[in-house]
Amino acid sequence: MTKIIDGKAISQAIKDEVKDTVDALKKDGKEIALAVIQVGDDPASAVYVNNKKKACAYVGIRSISYELPEVTTEEELLKLINDLNNDPSCNGILVQLPLPSHIREDVIIKAIHPSKDVDGFHPENVGAMLIGQPGFLSCTPAGIIQLLKRSDISIEGKECVVIGRSNIVGKPMAALLLRENGTVTVCHSRTKNLKEVCRRADILIVAIGKPKMIGPEYIKEGAVVIDVGIHRMENKKLCGDVDYDAVFSRCSAITPVPGGVGPMTIAMLMYNCVLSGKDNPNR
Ligand code: NAD
């Protein structure tokens, strides 16, 4: 029997835990506030930003919205970030990516103070994660670890294969699986014999960005498959990087798209916001 890993239910449980913590902090007179900055009016970004604000409202975090025009300069954005870094009433700063091409993302990410970097993208937080020190964890990979743990899937000693080496998913995912004592292999666009490598995996994490690329020939019988990909098909339905229907019966557990990894990213963002207001790892 294949188990469907229910990201909706698990993310709801995390948001409810966060809500309880936020309520308790409020009773002690401490309010948590997240600054959400969007530059330009990319419709996909607007949807993500809106979902983040809705999650903030649900858990009781105040979201402070900055909707800046496309023509905003890098200097203007840096000035806003600097003001928010120095504003004690703001606990977290989120700059929605991608930014317009005239603004350098790496410069902006580095400008956010590590103690307010709730996305976990600042090099200081990435470094802390790698050497096992406290810091903010990148939300999507941290959410995947929670999906596995809360589904009673042990990582220790398992062959874990990650497909994809992006800074926001693949690389931090590999580091977190290693931290949980998995034996980790990272594959990417230049990996040779991808199918053979994937067929070694007890836990296969797929973050490629190619709709339904992974079929049953990549999956060991009984493997756990986590699909990070998200794509809108011509019929308007969503699909992942894994061909869900084709691989389903080979897996012991699998995440659906939608309702798998997606909702976890926002839940972990809420978790990071609370961490930033409570026992901030960088202070
Ligand atoms: P990316 O484009 O930055 O990275 C893709 C990675 O896949 C690269 O490292 C590349 O080497 C590898 N790759 C590409 N083609 C390959 C191939 N043929 N064989 C093996 N490896 C190959 O993408 P990303 O930002 O890591 O996102 C990956 C997917 O996850 C996208 O579909 C994205 O929309 C989705 N995503 C979802 C969430 C979520 O919250 N659910 C969050 C982030 C990203």
Side-chain angles (χ1 to χ4, degrees), residues 140 163-166 168-169 188-189 194 207-210 213 228-231 241 261-262 265:
T140 303
I163 324 179
R165 57 171 166 184
S166 70
I168 60 164
V169 187
H188 45 80
S189 53
L194 183 66
I208 315 173
K210 300 228 158 82
M213 185 182 129
V228 187
I230 182 146
H231 312 275
D241 291 346
V261 173
T265 302

Side-chain angles (χ1 to χ4, degrees), residues 27 57 72 84 87 93 98 110 124 129 137 144 150 158 174 193 196 205 230 234-235 244 254 258 268-269 273-274 281:
K27 282 194 187 120
T72 304
L84 292 167
D87 178 351
I93 304 171
K110 264 197 224 159
E124 199 171 306
M129 173 190 64
L137 300 179
I144 292 170
R150 291 173 187 241
K158 297 282 172 62
N193 307 322
E196 286 70 19
I205 315 264
I230 182 146
E234 273 178 12
N235 64 7
Y244 184 85
I254 185 167
M268 296 316 288
L269 175 69
C273 289
V274 162

